[in-house]
């Protein structure tokens, strides 16, 4: 019994004289190691609201709600549910929309609602069937990626017309009623409605 007591005493003295291995958080901010994955940090300028990160997030920390009335998509990021897996960063289509920061690491909050972030993006909604096409920024991003090839799509051409104000005077908020006509292919319509027009009119050479 004598020797174990001496060993315990030695360990107590050594630990008294050795600096602590643990950090003093929250008294002092935690400094993570280099390349350590911290809180996902969103760059709204480079996020196009495409939904990809929500689809790959394993803990459902990222969700979306679409309000057709207001034409707004709200992206909700609840970092209280985040497990820092990095899937959102890895699969982000712009590669810059969200990055796991090694600087922002202090996420301790008393009120859980404070760990939730919101973003809003304008939706593109079909003027005929009211289906959600995507966000306007997502379509512009695809234009930039595809270059001139983007204009093989009539929807892309119509969006570009709006952007360049070539379609001035055309009210794109008007709902298409009384069935799709040939001229409606120059409105903002979803691929399903465009297909209906193409089958109905163009395939017959009308
Ligand atoms: S790091 Fe992982 S868990 Fe956290 S928001 Fe991104 S995908 Fe979701
Ligand atoms: S994948 Fe990237 S661009 Fe798309 S919504 Fe997420 S952060 Fe934004």
């Amino acid at each position: 019994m004598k020797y174990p007591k001496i060993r315990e005493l030695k360990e107590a003295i050594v630990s008294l004289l050795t600096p602590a291995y643990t950090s003093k958080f929250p008294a002092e901010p935690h400094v993570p190691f280099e390349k350590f994955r911290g809180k996902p940090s969103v760059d709204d300028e480079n996020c196009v609201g495409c939904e990809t990160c929500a689809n790959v997030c394993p803990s459902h920390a990222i969700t979306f709600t679409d309000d057709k009335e207001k034409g707004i998509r709200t992206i909700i990021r609840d970092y209280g549910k985040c497990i820092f897996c990095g899937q959102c960063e890895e699969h982000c289509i712009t590669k810059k929309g969200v990055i796991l920061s090694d600087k922002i690491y202090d996420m301790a909050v008393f009120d859980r609602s404070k760990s939730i972030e919101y973003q809003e993006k304008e939706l593109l909604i079909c003027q005929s069937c009211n289906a959600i096409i995507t966000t306007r920024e997502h379509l512009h991003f695809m234009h930039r990626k595809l270059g001139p090839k983007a204009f093989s799509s009539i929807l892309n051409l119509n969006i570009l017309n709006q952007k360049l104000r070539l379609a001035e005077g055309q009210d794109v908020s008007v709902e298409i009623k009384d069935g799709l006509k040939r001229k409606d292919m120059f409105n903002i319509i979803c691929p399903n409605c465009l297909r209906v027009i193409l089958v109905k009119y163009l395939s017959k050479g009308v």
Side-chain angles (χ1 to χ4, degrees):
M1 292 299 288
K2 191 177 164 191
Y3 290 113
K5 288 287 172 206
I6 292 171
R7 193 182 68 223
E8 280 168 22
L9 193 63
K10 183 184 159 205
E11 279 173 11
I13 293 167
V14 169
S15 82
L16 263 179
L17 300 174
T18 312
Y21 286 107
T22 50
S23 70
K24 292 188 176 166
F25 181 84
E28 286 176 16
H30 175 67
V31 182
F33 292 105
E34 198 185 338
K35 296 187 180 168
F36 204 87
R37 291 194 300 226
K39 181 186 166 199
S41 171
V42 175
D43 179 354
D44 194 45
E45 290 283 305
N46 284 302
C47 170
V48 295
C50 67
E51 275 192 71
T52 307
C53 54
N55 291 334
V56 297
C57 177
S59 63
H60 303 292
I62 310 170
T63 49
F64 285 72
T65 56
D66 290 335
D67 185 335
K68 283 189 189 176
E69 291 293 312
K70 293 182 184 160
I72 296 287
R73 168 170 290 169
T74 307
I75 308 157
I76 305 142
R77 298 175 196 263
D78 183 350
Y79 297 117
K81 294 181 183 170
C82 178
I83 55 171
F84 314 106
C85 65
Q87 291 293 304
C88 52
E89 177 182 334
E90 191 175 330
H91 294 281
C92 176
I93 62 163
T94 69
K95 299 289 171 210
K96 297 176 193 161
V98 61
I99 290 170
L100 266 65
S101 163
D102 60 357
K103 297 190 177 56
I104 311 167
Y105 199 76
D106 180 1
M107 292 171 57
V109 285
F110 285 110
D111 179 359
R112 278 181 170 265
S113 66
K114 293 217 164 60
S115 62
I116 302 176
E117 283 178 8
Y118 298 88
Q119 283 172 273
E120 287 190 346
K121 300 285 176 191
E122 184 190 343
L123 280 173
L124 277 179
I125 296 174
C126 176
Q127 283 176 257
S128 172
C129 70
N130 213 25
I132 291 166
I133 304 171
T134 182
T135 64
R136 188 175 288 276
E137 285 179 47
H138 187 192
L139 211 75
H140 287 169
F141 170 75
M142 288 194 283
H143 288 172
R144 290 195 296 277
K145 289 287 277 185
L146 288 169
K149 289 182 196 145
F151 304 111
S152 57
S153 150
I154 292 174
L155 175 62
N156 288 345
L157 260 179
N158 294 339
I159 298 289
L160 184 77
N161 282 348
Q162 275 190 338
K163 205 173 161 189
L164 299 178
R165 299 185 185 281
L166 298 178
E168 204 92 315
Q170 180 192 13
D171 188 354
V172 292
S173 62
V174 172
E175 202 181 319
I176 298 169
K177 289 179 182 157
D178 308 325
L180 284 161
K181 314 253 176 349
R182 191 175 190 275
K183 67 179 175 56
D184 291 326
M185 65 193 278
F186 299 107
N187 281 312
I188 305 302
I189 53 171
C190 69
N192 280 343
C193 290
L194 180 63
R195 186 183 58 82
V196 170
I197 295 177
L198 294 179
V199 170
K200 197 170 169 186
Y201 297 103
L202 297 194
S203 63
K204 293 173 189 161
V206 182

